[in-house]
Amino acid sequence: MTAEVLDRPERTTGSDFARLSKKIADHGLMVRRPGYYAARIAAVTVLYAGGWTAFVLVGASWWTLAVAGFLAVVFGQVALLAHDIAHRQVFRLRRASEVAGRIAANIGIGMGYGWWQEKHTRHHANPNHAELDPDIEPDLIVWSQDQARSARGLPRLIGRSQAYLFFPLLTMEAFNLHVSGVRALANSSLKHRLLEGTLLIGHFAVYLTALFLVLPPGMAIAFLAVQQCLFGVYLGSVFAPNHKGMPIRTGKDRPDFLRRQVLTSRNVRGNWFTDIALGGLNYQIEHHLFPSMPSPHLRKAQIIVRRYCEELSVAYLETGLITSYRQALRSLHEAGAPLRRTEAATP
């Protein structure tokens, strides 16, 4: 499945989604925003360069851990920018999107762009489908009671207390992204493997060389741990509210495109700060319906989409950020219930 599939959802003539799509197009919300993205790319680039400049200027001082925290947030913003680029929100041409995406993801933060794009495409096609969405595969966490009953190894061990362990586990998410990107290089179906590997290795080499040249070994390791762990927590905190705790589908339970996206997604209420911190993904419903819509248009699209869903009597969920985390954690706790019952029944 290619990126084009991700950005061209099903458009059946006369369908509920087709009518919504026309409303959105008539309001000009699918038109690209080159000025906005030029400013955003410039801002993120300045923050990225400023963070590493501060790292050199602060030098061998424990204040460098404050710089690590700053760069964790900047890395998160680079990841969100790479996400928009991958969805063709920024550039019309695929070639330009791939080049910019690899610069941001592979070079900027050490994330395998090709691996992530293929995985994310499958997620968008079937969000929260137990057999088809790679984002809810039971790798460390079980997302449903069915997964809990068949869990083995770490998922079975962690699943009992996963709601309490979820945010601590996010400290490992950045490392997981790095490892997954490198492991994907062994897959012959991955396009441009040599380029992907070269860029990833280049990022890791420059990153580690900078740390151990500027800082003594113990401080360098502390910087790496703080920066990467906080980067993982930030990324996980951005993506956790989107689908976690929403209905999980199985088998042939695949409704039409509009309902498949709306009923498995959750929006997060907020203001301009929320839009920046979550990169527009707080409008998850609108993003899943129109993946190539520029993120600054999502707020306007929400008014149209929410009203349209009300007309169709399609449930449209929007909560505050803290409530979204609470719902996600409650769902994780319920998913692990069979493992706790098994433990209690063991003599």
Side-chain angles (χ1 to χ4, degrees):
M1 188 177 292
T2 63
E4 285 80 355
V5 175
L6 184 150
D7 291 321
R8 290 205 304 268
E10 302 161 20
R11 295 174 182 265
T12 305
T13 302
S15 69
D16 290 335
F17 175 74
R19 288 189 290 272
L20 174 61
S21 184
K22 185 177 186 305
K23 289 175 182 285
I24 292 294
D26 289 346
H27 281 78
L29 298 179
M30 297 305 297
V31 177
R32 284 180 172 79
R33 293 283 300 274
Y36 163 83
Y37 277 110
R40 182 172 165 187
I41 290 171
V44 171
T45 301
V46 168
L47 291 173
Y48 190 93
W52 285 113
T53 301
F55 167 75
V56 173
L57 293 178
V58 171
S61 162
W62 285 109
W63 283 106
T64 195
L65 297 186
V67 179
F70 174 78
L71 279 172
V73 176
V74 174
F75 269 41
Q77 285 294 311
V78 174
L80 290 170
L81 187 57
H83 170 272
D84 285 11
I85 292 170
H87 278 292
R88 306 276 285 276
Q89 297 176 20
V90 184
F91 303 102
R92 180 176 60 85
L93 299 178
R94 181 174 62 182
R95 176 65 177 168
S97 298
E98 287 185 353
V99 171
R102 292 187 190 282
I103 291 172
N106 293 68
I107 297 176
I109 59 176
M111 182 180 78
Y113 179 77
W115 158 78
W116 175 84
Q117 188 182 44
E118 189 276 335
K119 174 177 177 286
H120 197 60
T121 298
R122 290 189 286 130
H123 159 70
H124 263 263
N126 293 283
N128 267 27
H129 191 288
E131 291 93 41
L132 301 174
D133 184 356
D135 285 358
I136 58 169
E137 291 177 353
D139 45 6
L140 284 180
I141 288 176
V142 293
W143 304 103
S144 69
Q145 293 195 2
D146 286 342
Q147 289 183 349
R149 293 184 187 98
S150 60
R152 297 291 183 272
L154 277 178
R156 186 174 185 85
L157 177 65
I158 292 174
R160 300 184 180 97
S161 307
Q162 61 185 17
Y164 303 100
L165 297 173
F166 180 70
F167 281 103
L169 285 172
L170 288 182
T171 59
M172 303 303 295
E173 181 58 25
F175 297 105
N176 178 53
L177 285 177
H178 301 322
V179 172
S180 296
V182 172
R183 289 177 60 187
L185 297 174
N187 187 344
S188 59
S189 66
L190 180 67
K191 296 180 179 179
H192 310 297
R193 282 195 298 167
L194 179 59
L195 175 61
E196 185 111 323
T198 300
L199 295 178
L200 282 177
I201 293 171
H203 169 86
F204 299 142
V206 171
Y207 179 90
L208 292 173
T209 299
L211 261 57
F212 285 94
L213 273 180
V214 174
L215 304 175
M219 198 175 289
I221 293 172
F223 182 99
L224 184 151
V226 170
Q227 199 261 331
Q228 293 294 319
C229 288
L230 291 180
F231 173 37
V233 171
Y234 180 29
L235 272 188
S237 298
V238 168
F239 286 95
N242 301 342
H243 304 280
K244 305 307 182 259
M246 299 302 291
I248 293 179
R249 302 187 182 278
T250 59
K252 295 182 179 180
D253 182 13
R254 295 181 74 242
D256 65 281
F257 179 81
L258 183 143
R259 288 164 180 80
R260 189 159 76 242
Q261 303 300 336
V262 174
L263 297 177
T264 58
S265 302
R266 177 196 293 107
N267 276 15
V268 174
R269 285 190 295 269
N271 50 30
W272 63 268
F273 179 79
T274 311
D275 291 359
I276 293 173
L278 302 187
L281 295 182
N282 42 313
Y283 305 105
Q284 188 67 194
I285 294 172
E286 289 70 29
H287 170 61
H288 259 257
L289 288 170
F290 304 98
S292 59
M293 178 184 289
S295 59
H297 287 168
L298 293 169
R299 178 183 285 270
K300 297 177 181 178
Q302 182 192 33
I303 300 171
I304 300 171
V305 173
R306 183 166 51 194
R307 184 182 302 124
Y308 188 72
C309 287
E310 289 174 357
E311 293 172 2
L312 295 177
S313 298
V314 174
Y316 181 104
L317 181 60
E318 183 181 26
T319 71
L321 184 62
I322 301 303
T323 301
S324 74
Y325 292 140
R326 188 181 297 119
Q327 291 175 354
L329 293 176
R330 184 184 303 118
S331 174
L332 287 174
H333 188 68
E334 291 172 355
L339 296 175
R340 292 191 298 276
R341 286 196 293 268
T342 300
E343 184 179 37
T346 302

